[in-house]
Amino acid sequence: MIVGAGMAGVQTAVALREQGWSGGITLLGAERHAPYDRPPLSKAVLLGTAAESALEVDFGSLEVELLLGREALALHPGDRRVSTDGGPVVYDRLVLATGAEPVMLPRSAGVPGVYALRTLDDAVALRPVLEEKRDVVVVGAGWIGAELSTAARAAGCAVTVVEAAERPLAGVLPDVVAERMRGWYADAGVGLLTGTAVAAVEPGGVRLADGGWLPAGAVVVGIGARPATGWLAGSGVALGPDRAVVADDRLRTSVARVYAVGDCASFPSARYGERLLVHHWDNAVQGPRVAAANLLGGDERYDPVPYFWSEQFGRFVQYAGHHAAADTMVQRGDPQGPAWSVCWLREGVLVALLAVGRPRDLAQGRKLIERGVRLDPGLAGDPGVPLKTAVR
Ligand SMILES: Cc1cc2nc3c(=O)[nH]c(=O)nc-3n(C[C@H](O)[C@H](O)[C@H](O)COP(=O)(O)OP(=O)(O)OC[C@H]3O[C@@H](n4cnc5c(N)ncnc54)[C@H](O)[C@@H]3O)c2cc1C
């Protein structure tokens, strides 16, 4: 049984069949829609250039029993049972794939004109905002905030982004790199208020902590997402302070026969020497292959080089690996130009790479990170030298 019919849940079902499992598979999902892909929600689906983003998986021929519009309410490992709003379901082995849910501002729920962007329903609800070219205030200058601003500007909306931190993507990228993104907002005609906290979202606008008022035809909250694990309370499945299911390097949870994949689970990374909670698409595709192998009696370790991409303000932004503040940064190319990369080296070894409009750097860098290759910082800093030849 798999709980959560997003990318990670679906990929688990597919991987189980690919790896030879011929027994039953039940896939339970709270949303009513056929399983779909989330990245297009802040891009083509929001703009209406794609109606939806259903996954091209034939559940019938895969013999996967799909229970949609069914929410898991509690887990009882003692008798291997999941309580759902449609009655109990008994499992032999269980995979947790409930993803994440958006963090909302206090007291914003139910205020008219306030939106989040996590589900297909959210994207469909937001479409008229763009079609009617309403003035949009986005709370949060993270990945979702940037993509949403891009789409809203493309639709002709006036957009203001309010960010409590001093710069976009603060805490995710070093200040010097994140600061460059401020210019991307300005070039796109998006107002960006950093160091500005929101006190309350009220009908018709946003009240700022300094007393200021921003009128808005719609407010979209993009301040992060948390693992959707509330239903596991009291089950014995260990959760971390970040609310993620604490999986081991085989993607097993603290409870026998229960595994966890995707946005809902953290795992220990031997590669980076710390526990990682990854909220990106690639992790929801790669983890399930390892979980499926282990469910079927294998002994595979999950230790990926994390990867994600973002499309914002006409730029293709990609990141592979994981860096820490102490790692050495090497700039490749003109940071004011349209295409550049940043490499992070730890004791000379490439551990992470950010590529803006340089997909070849990303492709080569990802392989070098996987292999733990030492780079010559001088060569790596020359954008004319292919990264794969910048090895020491
Ligand atoms: C708008 C948007 C744009 C994105 N763009 C990018 C991008 O460009 N690049 C990138 O790398 N990543 C992107 N991501 C992140 C990526 O989509 C996620 O990492 C990925 O969807 C995680 O998959 P998942 O299956 O773990 O979780 P989810 O996709 O969240 O799926 C979990 C499913 O479980 C269901 N569920 C939750 N609780 C229960 C329950 N108790 N019972 C039953 N079902 C339950 C939920 O309804 C949901 O359908 C984006 C995410 C969003 C929201």
Side-chain angles (χ1 to χ4, degrees), residues 41-42 46 102-105 108 111-119 122-123 125-130 134-152 157-163 198 201-202 205-206 214-224:
L41 298 185
S42 51
L46 190 57
V103 177
M104 290 308 281
L105 288 165
S108 63
V111 176
V114 180
Y115 301 83
L117 181 52
R118 179 77 197 179
T119 64
D122 291 338
L126 265 168
R127 257 193 214 144
V129 169
L130 271 62
R134 285 197 234 158
D135 292 354
V136 177
V137 169
V138 179
V139 184
W143 301 111
I144 295 282
E147 294 202 351
L148 189 101
S149 301
T150 303
C157 301
V159 181
T160 306
V161 178
V162 186
E163 168 59 57
V198 168
V201 183
E202 295 166 10
V206 168
L214 281 180
V219 178
V220 192
V221 180
I223 55 173

Side-chain angles (χ1 to χ4, degrees), residues 4 7-8 30-31 38 42-43 72 98-99 118 263 280-281 308-309:
M7 182 55 88
E31 294 183 69
R38 270 175 226 286
S42 51
K43 308 167 183 85
T98 46
R118 179 77 197 179
D263 279 14
H280 297 299
W281 187 92
F308 71 87
W309 79 96

Side-chain angles (χ1 to χ4, degrees), residues 319-345:
Y319 180 96
H322 179 73
H323 71 268
D327 297 330
T328 307
M329 260 176 62
V330 178
Q331 174 68 34
R332 260 170 87 74
D334 175 7
Q336 303 310 324
W340 45 267
S341 298
V342 175
C343 301
W344 281 270
L345 307 184

